[in-house]
Amino acid sequence: MIAIRKGAAPLSLLSAGEDHARELCAAYEANPEAYQSGETKMSIRESIYKLPEVKDALEACHHGKCCYCETVIPKPFAHSQIEHWRPKSCSRQEPNAERVRPGYYWLAYSWENLLLSCHFCNTINKRDLFPLENPATRARHHGTSLEDESPAILKPDGDADPRNHIT
């Protein structure tokens, strides 16, 4: 895993993402039970977080590598994926655990939550996994605090240097 230092968020992500995140929050508030049960899914727009300038900015700060395995993603980056560190639709504590719904929908367009990943790491390894030291502290909606969570997975663009944790 490489340490990532991102610059400022692309303006297109900020404008479109913030507007749609507010819509997602309002939808949740209108019927939280439907989203928690999985009966209704959040309509997260890939077209916002996959804007060319977002992917270009991620590719630049990741130096064209997967944030987890450091595989160089061949250009034109057709096999790269935009990874949500905190999963946007649902999350799981471990691979065979029950999915917790909804996911971190309010962070779907957050620059701090987006990373560049290879297909294998995003769809086979990480997927919707987001283990916490104490699963009872999981933020279940936009009205709860992320401060109470203690993730059991390193954040490639976080404050901790991955070299101090991986041997």
Side-chain angles (χ1 to χ4, degrees), residues 11-167:
L11 294 178
S12 57
L13 178 67
L14 292 175
S15 59
E18 287 175 2
D19 288 345
H20 194 249
R22 278 192 290 278
E23 291 175 27
L24 294 173
C25 293
Y28 177 86
E29 289 172 358
N31 194 355
E33 296 82 18
Y35 290 102
Q36 291 169 2
S37 70
E39 172 189 328
T40 305
K41 293 187 168 125
M42 287 290 170
S43 41
I44 295 168
R45 296 182 189 148
E46 285 186 4
S47 60
I48 295 174
Y49 66 82
K50 288 187 175 180
L51 286 164
E53 47 273 24
V54 173
K55 201 165 189 182
D56 289 346
L58 287 171
E59 289 166 355
C61 66
H62 286 67
H63 305 286
K65 295 179 181 179
C66 172
C67 66
Y68 296 119
C69 71
E70 295 190 54
T71 296
V72 174
I73 302 169
K75 290 189 179 191
F77 297 106
H79 299 289
S80 67
Q81 297 191 348
I82 295 180
E83 149 72 350
H84 291 80
W85 187 64
R86 281 187 165 93
K88 63 190 177 308
S89 300
C90 63
S91 63
R92 290 184 294 154
Q93 182 67 18
E94 52 190 55
N96 295 321
E98 186 174 327
R99 287 182 166 90
V100 176
R101 289 187 169 86
Y104 297 86
Y105 59 88
W106 66 99
L107 302 176
Y109 315 111
S110 169
W111 182 239
E112 291 76 30
N113 196 45
L114 300 178
L115 298 163
L116 185 72
S117 175
C118 70
H119 173 79
F120 184 78
C121 284
N122 194 32
T123 60
I124 307 297
N125 286 336
K126 167 85 170 39
R127 299 173 291 168
D128 56 5
L129 295 174
F130 193 69
L132 300 176
E133 297 293 332
N134 179 359
T137 63
R138 188 175 302 280
R140 299 290 307 270
H141 57 81
H142 64 278
T144 54
S145 174
L146 298 173
E147 302 300 317
D148 296 333
E149 292 186 342
S150 182
I153 182 174
L154 286 175
K155 190 168 192 291
D157 65 338
D159 295 332
D161 186 340
R163 293 177 292 189
N164 297 332
H165 299 275
I166 299 173
T167 59

